[in-house]
Amino acid sequence: MTEQVSGEKLTHVREDGSAHMVDVSAKQVTARQASAKGRVLLSDVAVRALRAGNVPKGDALAVARIAGIQAVKRTPDLIPLAHPIAVHAVEVDLEVVDEGVAIAATVRTADRTGIEMEALTAVSVAALTVIDMVKAVDRHARITDVRVTAKSGGRSGDWEEEA
């Protein structure tokens, strides 16, 4: 395997430098959870439209929530080396805040590999959907701060973003 600068082996790269999907068949099935967050920064006009429920395309938050949930199930189709894993629960929450929309997602599984990519995909696609829903009132919307905020389960154990 190719080595990183730190001396650790890169798990998704063969000796010849080509990418491959890691074999996780020998790993134990464990309960796993990952959470992610992100924001869509919006104009005051868009925030007011969301709060008043008069976005021209309809209920932007409901559509974005469903889009985030659907996206989780499609993650291995979008991220080339992500394993298809059983998704057991998905929570996607959107909150209109003064600067736009705050998005949080938590995804759970019992499988052989982590579910962080699914949580990030939920937040990212929900954010893209918010932009699609409000673009008639805000052409300058932007996605920011998408990140994993916590994970649990698996060999590497639990981790949580510092406050």
Side-chain angles (χ1 to χ4, degrees), residues 61-102:
L61 301 184
V63 174
R65 182 177 295 106
I66 295 301
I69 292 167
Q70 285 183 309
V72 167
K73 298 182 282 183
R74 306 301 293 183
T75 300
D77 295 331
L78 300 168
I79 311 296
L81 300 180
H83 291 81
I85 59 178
V87 175
H88 294 116
V90 180
E91 298 169 21
V92 178
D93 296 308
L94 296 96
E95 178 185 3
V96 179
V97 295
D98 289 343
E99 57 278 344
V101 178

Short mmCIF file of all heavy atoms in Angstrom, two decimals, residues 61-102:
data_model
loop_
_atom_site.label_atom_id
_atom_site.label_comp_id
_atom_site.label_asym_id
_atom_site.label_seq_id
_atom_site.Cartn_x
_atom_site.Cartn_y
_atom_site.Cartn_z
N LEU A 61 -38.50 23.34 3.48
CA LEU A 61 -37.88 22.52 4.53
C LEU A 61 -38.35 21.07 4.44
O LEU A 61 -37.54 20.15 4.61
CB LEU A 61 -38.15 23.11 5.91
CG LEU A 61 -37.65 24.54 6.13
CD1 LEU A 61 -37.90 24.97 7.56
CD2 LEU A 61 -36.18 24.70 5.76
N ALA A 62 -39.62 20.85 4.17
CA ALA A 62 -40.13 19.48 4.04
C ALA A 62 -39.50 18.78 2.84
O ALA A 62 -39.08 17.62 2.94
CB ALA A 62 -41.65 19.48 3.91
N VAL A 63 -39.41 19.48 1.73
CA VAL A 63 -38.80 18.89 0.53
C VAL A 63 -37.32 18.59 0.79
O VAL A 63 -36.83 17.52 0.43
CB VAL A 63 -38.99 19.81 -0.70
CG1 VAL A 63 -38.23 19.28 -1.91
CG2 VAL A 63 -40.48 19.94 -1.02
N ALA A 64 -36.61 19.51 1.42
CA ALA A 64 -35.19 19.30 1.71
C ALA A 64 -34.98 18.14 2.67
O ALA A 64 -34.02 17.37 2.52
CB ALA A 64 -34.58 20.58 2.27
N ARG A 65 -35.86 17.99 3.65
CA ARG A 65 -35.75 16.87 4.60
C ARG A 65 -35.86 15.53 3.87
O ARG A 65 -35.04 14.63 4.06
CB ARG A 65 -36.82 16.98 5.68
CG ARG A 65 -36.75 15.88 6.73
CD ARG A 65 -37.79 16.05 7.83
NE ARG A 65 -37.54 17.27 8.58
CZ ARG A 65 -38.25 18.40 8.48
NH1 ARG A 65 -39.31 18.46 7.68
NH2 ARG A 65 -37.93 19.46 9.19
N ILE A 66 -36.86 15.42 3.00
CA ILE A 66 -37.05 14.17 2.25
C ILE A 66 -35.87 13.94 1.31
O ILE A 66 -35.39 12.82 1.16
CB ILE A 66 -38.39 14.19 1.46
CG1 ILE A 66 -39.57 14.24 2.44
CG2 ILE A 66 -38.50 13.00 0.54
CD1 ILE A 66 -39.65 13.08 3.41
N ALA A 67 -35.38 15.00 0.67
CA ALA A 67 -34.22 14.87 -0.22
C ALA A 67 -33.01 14.35 0.54
O ALA A 67 -32.28 13.48 0.05
CB ALA A 67 -33.91 16.21 -0.88
N GLY A 68 -32.79 14.86 1.75
CA GLY A 68 -31.67 14.40 2.57
C GLY A 68 -31.80 12.93 2.92
O GLY A 68 -30.83 12.17 2.86
N ILE A 69 -33.01 12.51 3.27
CA ILE A 69 -33.24 11.10 3.61
C ILE A 69 -33.01 10.22 2.39
O ILE A 69 -32.32 9.19 2.46
CB ILE A 69 -34.66 10.92 4.17
CG1 ILE A 69 -34.78 11.60 5.53
CG2 ILE A 69 -35.02 9.43 4.27
CD1 ILE A 69 -36.21 11.75 6.05
N GLN A 70 -33.55 10.62 1.26
CA GLN A 70 -33.35 9.83 0.02
C GLN A 70 -31.87 9.75 -0.35
O GLN A 70 -31.40 8.71 -0.81
CB GLN A 70 -34.12 10.45 -1.13
CG GLN A 70 -35.60 10.20 -1.08
CD GLN A 70 -36.30 10.79 -2.29
OE1 GLN A 70 -36.11 11.95 -2.62
NE2 GLN A 70 -37.10 9.98 -2.95
N ALA A 71 -31.16 10.84 -0.17
CA ALA A 71 -29.76 10.89 -0.55
C ALA A 71 -28.92 9.88 0.23
O ALA A 71 -27.98 9.29 -0.32
CB ALA A 71 -29.21 12.30 -0.35
N VAL A 72 -29.25 9.69 1.49
CA VAL A 72 -28.51 8.73 2.31
C VAL A 72 -28.51 7.36 1.64
O VAL A 72 -27.48 6.69 1.56
CB VAL A 72 -29.13 8.63 3.73
CG1 VAL A 72 -28.60 7.42 4.49
CG2 VAL A 72 -28.85 9.90 4.51
N LYS A 73 -29.64 6.97 1.10
CA LYS A 73 -29.78 5.66 0.48
C LYS A 73 -29.03 5.56 -0.85
O LYS A 73 -28.80 4.46 -1.34
CB LYS A 73 -31.26 5.33 0.29
CG LYS A 73 -32.00 5.26 1.61
CD LYS A 73 -33.46 4.88 1.44
CE LYS A 73 -34.28 6.04 0.99
NZ LYS A 73 -35.72 5.71 0.89
N ARG A 74 -28.62 6.69 -1.41
CA ARG A 74 -27.92 6.71 -2.69
C ARG A 74 -26.43 7.01 -2.55
O ARG A 74 -25.72 7.13 -3.55
CB ARG A 74 -28.55 7.76 -3.61
CG ARG A 74 -30.05 7.61 -3.82
CD ARG A 74 -30.44 6.29 -4.39
NE ARG A 74 -29.93 6.18 -5.74
CZ ARG A 74 -30.15 5.16 -6.53
NH1 ARG A 74 -30.87 4.15 -6.12
NH2 ARG A 74 -29.66 5.13 -7.74
N THR A 75 -25.94 7.12 -1.34
CA THR A 75 -24.55 7.50 -1.11
C THR A 75 -23.55 6.66 -1.89
O THR A 75 -22.66 7.21 -2.54
CB THR A 75 -24.22 7.51 0.40
OG1 THR A 75 -25.09 8.46 1.03
CG2 THR A 75 -22.77 7.87 0.66
N PRO A 76 -23.65 5.32 -1.89
CA PRO A 76 -22.64 4.56 -2.65
C PRO A 76 -22.70 4.79 -4.15
O PRO A 76 -21.74 4.51 -4.86
CB PRO A 76 -22.93 3.10 -2.30
CG PRO A 76 -24.19 3.08 -1.54
CD PRO A 76 -24.55 4.48 -1.13
N ASP A 77 -23.82 5.33 -4.66
CA ASP A 77 -23.90 5.67 -6.08
C ASP A 77 -23.18 6.98 -6.37
O ASP A 77 -22.82 7.26 -7.51
CB ASP A 77 -25.36 5.81 -6.52
CG ASP A 77 -26.11 4.50 -6.42
OD1 ASP A 77 -25.49 3.43 -6.57
OD2 ASP A 77 -27.34 4.54 -6.20
N LEU A 78 -23.00 7.80 -5.33
CA LEU A 78 -22.40 9.13 -5.50
C LEU A 78 -20.92 9.16 -5.12
O LEU A 78 -20.14 9.90 -5.71
CB LEU A 78 -23.15 10.15 -4.63
CG LEU A 78 -24.64 10.31 -4.95
CD1 LEU A 78 -25.32 11.13 -3.85
CD2 LEU A 78 -24.81 10.97 -6.30
N ILE A 79 -20.55 8.41 -4.11
CA ILE A 79 -19.17 8.38 -3.61
C ILE A 79 -18.55 7.05 -4.07
O ILE A 79 -18.91 5.99 -3.56
CB ILE A 79 -19.13 8.48 -2.06
CG1 ILE A 79 -19.99 9.63 -1.54
CG2 ILE A 79 -17.69 8.56 -1.57
CD1 ILE A 79 -19.54 11.00 -1.96
N PRO A 80 -17.65 7.08 -5.02
CA PRO A 80 -17.19 5.86 -5.68
C PRO A 80 -16.70 4.73 -4.78
O PRO A 80 -16.95 3.57 -5.07
CB PRO A 80 -16.06 6.35 -6.60
CG PRO A 80 -16.38 7.77 -6.86
CD PRO A 80 -17.02 8.28 -5.59
N LEU A 81 -16.00 5.02 -3.71
CA LEU A 81 -15.44 3.95 -2.89
C LEU A 81 -16.23 3.70 -1.60
O LEU A 81 -15.79 2.95 -0.74
CB LEU A 81 -13.97 4.24 -2.57
CG LEU A 81 -13.07 4.38 -3.80
CD1 LEU A 81 -11.63 4.67 -3.38
CD2 LEU A 81 -13.15 3.16 -4.70
N ALA A 82 -17.41 4.30 -1.50
CA ALA A 82 -18.27 4.05 -0.34
C ALA A 82 -18.97 2.71 -0.52
O ALA A 82 -19.47 2.40 -1.59
CB ALA A 82 -19.29 5.17 -0.18
N HIS A 83 -19.02 1.94 0.56
CA HIS A 83 -19.69 0.65 0.52
C HIS A 83 -21.20 0.82 0.63
O HIS A 83 -21.67 1.66 1.40
CB HIS A 83 -19.24 -0.23 1.70
CG HIS A 83 -17.84 -0.69 1.59
ND1 HIS A 83 -16.77 0.11 1.95
CD2 HIS A 83 -17.31 -1.86 1.18
CE1 HIS A 83 -15.65 -0.56 1.76
NE2 HIS A 83 -15.95 -1.75 1.29
N PRO A 84 -21.95 -0.01 -0.09
CA PRO A 84 -23.40 -0.04 0.16
C PRO A 84 -23.61 -0.66 1.55
O PRO A 84 -23.11 -1.76 1.81
CB PRO A 84 -23.95 -0.96 -0.93
CG PRO A 84 -22.85 -1.12 -1.93
CD PRO A 84 -21.57 -0.86 -1.21
N ILE A 85 -24.25 0.04 2.42
CA ILE A 85 -24.50 -0.49 3.76
C ILE A 85 -25.98 -0.36 4.10
O ILE A 85 -26.69 0.47 3.54
CB ILE A 85 -23.62 0.19 4.83
CG1 ILE A 85 -23.86 1.68 4.88
CG2 ILE A 85 -22.15 -0.09 4.58
CD1 ILE A 85 -23.05 2.39 5.95
N ALA A 86 -26.40 -1.18 5.01
CA ALA A 86 -27.80 -1.14 5.46
C ALA A 86 -28.01 0.11 6.30
O ALA A 86 -27.32 0.33 7.28
CB ALA A 86 -28.11 -2.39 6.27
N VAL A 87 -28.96 0.92 5.90
CA VAL A 87 -29.30 2.12 6.65
C VAL A 87 -30.51 1.79 7.51
O VAL A 87 -31.55 1.38 6.99
CB VAL A 87 -29.60 3.31 5.71
CG1 VAL A 87 -30.07 4.51 6.49
CG2 VAL A 87 -28.38 3.63 4.86
N HIS A 88 -30.37 1.95 8.82
CA HIS A 88 -31.46 1.59 9.73
C HIS A 88 -32.26 2.78 10.22
O HIS A 88 -33.41 2.61 10.62
CB HIS A 88 -30.91 0.79 10.91
CG HIS A 88 -30.36 -0.53 10.48
ND1 HIS A 88 -29.05 -0.86 10.60
CD2 HIS A 88 -30.96 -1.58 9.87
CE1 HIS A 88 -28.84 -2.07 10.11
NE2 HIS A 88 -29.99 -2.53 9.66
N ALA A 89 -31.69 3.96 10.23
CA ALA A 89 -32.43 5.15 10.66
C ALA A 89 -31.75 6.39 10.11
O ALA A 89 -30.53 6.44 10.01
CB ALA A 89 -32.48 5.23 12.18
N VAL A 90 -32.58 7.37 9.75
CA VAL A 90 -32.08 8.65 9.27
C VAL A 90 -32.93 9.75 9.88
O VAL A 90 -34.16 9.68 9.83
CB VAL A 90 -32.16 8.78 7.73
CG1 VAL A 90 -31.63 10.14 7.27
CG2 VAL A 90 -31.44 7.65 7.03
N GLU A 91 -32.28 10.72 10.47
CA GLU A 91 -32.96 11.91 10.96
C GLU A 91 -32.32 13.12 10.27
O GLU A 91 -31.11 13.27 10.31
CB GLU A 91 -32.80 12.06 12.47
CG GLU A 91 -33.39 10.93 13.27
CD GLU A 91 -32.97 10.98 14.73
OE1 GLU A 91 -32.57 12.06 15.21
OE2 GLU A 91 -33.03 9.93 15.38
N VAL A 92 -33.14 13.94 9.64
CA VAL A 92 -32.65 15.17 9.02
C VAL A 92 -33.50 16.31 9.58
O VAL A 92 -34.73 16.28 9.47
CB VAL A 92 -32.76 15.14 7.48
CG1 VAL A 92 -32.30 16.46 6.88
CG2 VAL A 92 -31.96 13.97 6.91
N ASP A 93 -32.85 17.24 10.21
CA ASP A 93 -33.54 18.39 10.81
C ASP A 93 -33.06 19.67 10.16
O ASP A 93 -31.85 19.86 9.98
CB ASP A 93 -33.28 18.45 12.32
CG ASP A 93 -33.86 17.23 13.04
OD1 ASP A 93 -35.05 16.95 12.84
OD2 ASP A 93 -33.11 16.57 13.78
N LEU A 94 -34.00 20.54 9.83
CA LEU A 94 -33.69 21.85 9.26
C LEU A 94 -34.35 22.91 10.11
O LEU A 94 -35.51 22.75 10.52
CB LEU A 94 -34.20 21.95 7.82
CG LEU A 94 -33.54 20.98 6.84
CD1 LEU A 94 -34.36 19.73 6.66
CD2 LEU A 94 -33.30 21.66 5.53
N GLU A 95 -33.60 23.96 10.39
CA GLU A 95 -34.11 25.06 11.21
C GLU A 95 -33.78 26.38 10.54
O GLU A 95 -32.63 26.64 10.18
CB GLU A 95 -33.48 25.01 12.60
CG GLU A 95 -33.92 26.13 13.50
CD GLU A 95 -33.18 26.14 14.84
OE1 GLU A 95 -32.29 25.30 15.07
OE2 GLU A 95 -33.51 27.02 15.65
N VAL A 96 -34.80 27.21 10.38
CA VAL A 96 -34.57 28.54 9.84
C VAL A 96 -33.97 29.38 10.96
O VAL A 96 -34.53 29.47 12.05
CB VAL A 96 -35.87 29.18 9.32
CG1 VAL A 96 -35.60 30.59 8.79
CG2 VAL A 96 -36.50 28.31 8.23
N VAL A 97 -32.80 29.92 10.69
CA VAL A 97 -32.10 30.79 11.64
C VAL A 97 -31.91 32.15 10.96
O VAL A 97 -32.17 32.29 9.76
CB VAL A 97 -30.75 30.18 12.09
CG1 VAL A 97 -30.98 28.90 12.88
CG2 VAL A 97 -29.84 29.90 10.90
N ASP A 98 -31.47 33.13 11.70
CA ASP A 98 -31.36 34.48 11.14
C ASP A 98 -30.53 34.56 9.87
O ASP A 98 -30.85 35.33 8.97
CB ASP A 98 -30.81 35.45 12.19
CG ASP A 98 -31.81 35.72 13.30
OD1 ASP A 98 -33.01 35.44 13.12
OD2 ASP A 98 -31.39 36.22 14.36
N GLU A 99 -29.48 33.76 9.78
CA GLU A 99 -28.61 33.85 8.61
C GLU A 99 -28.96 32.86 7.50
O GLU A 99 -28.33 32.83 6.46
CB GLU A 99 -27.14 33.71 9.00
CG GLU A 99 -26.77 32.45 9.75
CD GLU A 99 -27.07 32.51 11.26
OE1 GLU A 99 -27.29 33.59 11.82
OE2 GLU A 99 -27.09 31.44 11.86
N GLY A 100 -29.98 32.00 7.73
CA GLY A 100 -30.37 31.04 6.69
C GLY A 100 -31.02 29.80 7.27
O GLY A 100 -31.96 29.88 8.04
N VAL A 101 -30.48 28.64 6.91
CA VAL A 101 -31.02 27.36 7.38
C VAL A 101 -29.88 26.53 7.95
O VAL A 101 -28.86 26.32 7.28
CB VAL A 101 -31.72 26.59 6.23
CG1 VAL A 101 -32.22 25.24 6.72
CG2 VAL A 101 -32.87 27.41 5.65
N ALA A 102 -30.07 26.06 9.18
CA ALA A 102 -29.14 25.13 9.81
C ALA A 102 -29.66 23.72 9.56
O ALA A 102 -30.86 23.45 9.74
CB ALA A 102 -29.04 25.41 11.31
#
